[in-house]
Amino acid sequence: MTARDDDAAVETTVEAHYSAAKGRYVPTVIVNRALGDDFDESRLRHTFTQAILQAAVPHCIALRLEDAPGAKWISIADLTTGDGRILPDWLAGSVVKRGVKDERWDVIEILYGTAALSGTPPVKLISLELDVPERTATDWIKKARAAGRMTGMTSNIGRPPGE
């Protein structure tokens, strides 16, 4: 993934590989490059790799929204709304309604997996995406896990995996 900051005149490339042992993507190569003579030297030295990686992970995760044969694979990035959120407002609003369990657990599983792979706290992402309190997000994660979702995905609920 390459990110460009034209204001600072710096380009950063991060290469990351999935680590099954850590349950997330791990940066293996980080390259910063000045984009001309007029660049911000402090930005060249101080790159926020985690932010770049978090932005890249949704492009690396693909899923099928239908069980039908020949259903199309779609990346999380393709679902991302224009304001940087993963879920469109209509979907977030529908899964928080009372009685919507299976669909809610589907969404919790997708959001939790996305957070875990990018090394971000799942509770914070779910809370933000669904516009619910963190306490509710924590409860839904526990219930989704009890319903048999998120097999193999382990994380300290409020923290990134591995902490």
Side-chain angles (χ1 to χ4, degrees):
M1 167 79 179
T2 300
R4 224 180 132 103
D5 184 342
D6 290 323
D7 293 335
V10 173
E11 179 180 86
T12 301
T13 300
V14 177
E15 183 178 316
H17 297 276
Y18 179 73
S19 167
K22 293 185 177 185
R24 62 183 170 87
Y25 283 89
V26 177
T28 55
V29 176
I30 302 168
V31 177
N32 289 329
R33 184 173 69 86
L35 297 174
D37 295 333
D38 187 26
F39 65 93
D40 184 336
E41 292 177 38
S42 66
R43 287 268 183 95
L44 189 61
R45 289 186 298 249
H46 304 288
T47 302
F48 299 105
T49 307
Q50 187 64 27
I52 295 169
L53 187 57
Q54 288 170 359
V57 166
H59 296 275
C60 303
I61 302 171
L63 49 98
R64 290 192 294 190
L65 299 177
E66 300 173 12
D67 288 332
K72 201 171 127 178
W73 286 93
I74 187 167
S75 75
I76 296 290
D78 291 335
L79 292 175
T80 303
T81 62
D83 60 0
R85 293 186 55 200
I86 295 170
L87 300 176
D89 290 338
W90 66 266
L91 179 56
S94 71
V95 299
V96 299
K97 290 181 181 173
R98 223 178 254 281
V100 180
K101 298 290 187 223
D102 288 336
E103 294 85 355
R104 182 182 301 150
W105 305 153
D106 289 341
V107 167
I108 295 294
E109 185 176 5
I110 290 167
L111 293 174
Y112 186 99
T114 301
L117 288 170
S118 64
T120 59
V123 168
K124 289 190 183 298
L125 179 65
I126 291 168
S127 175
L128 174 71
E129 285 289 326
L130 300 180
D131 195 25
V132 297
E134 288 187 10
R135 181 177 26 198
T136 301
T138 299
D139 182 54
W140 287 354
I141 289 169
K142 289 177 183 176
K143 288 178 178 173
R145 193 175 302 283
R149 304 304 181 96
M150 300 183 299
T151 303
M153 288 191 257
T154 57
S155 173
N156 206 348
I157 288 178
R159 298 189 183 115
E163 289 186 7

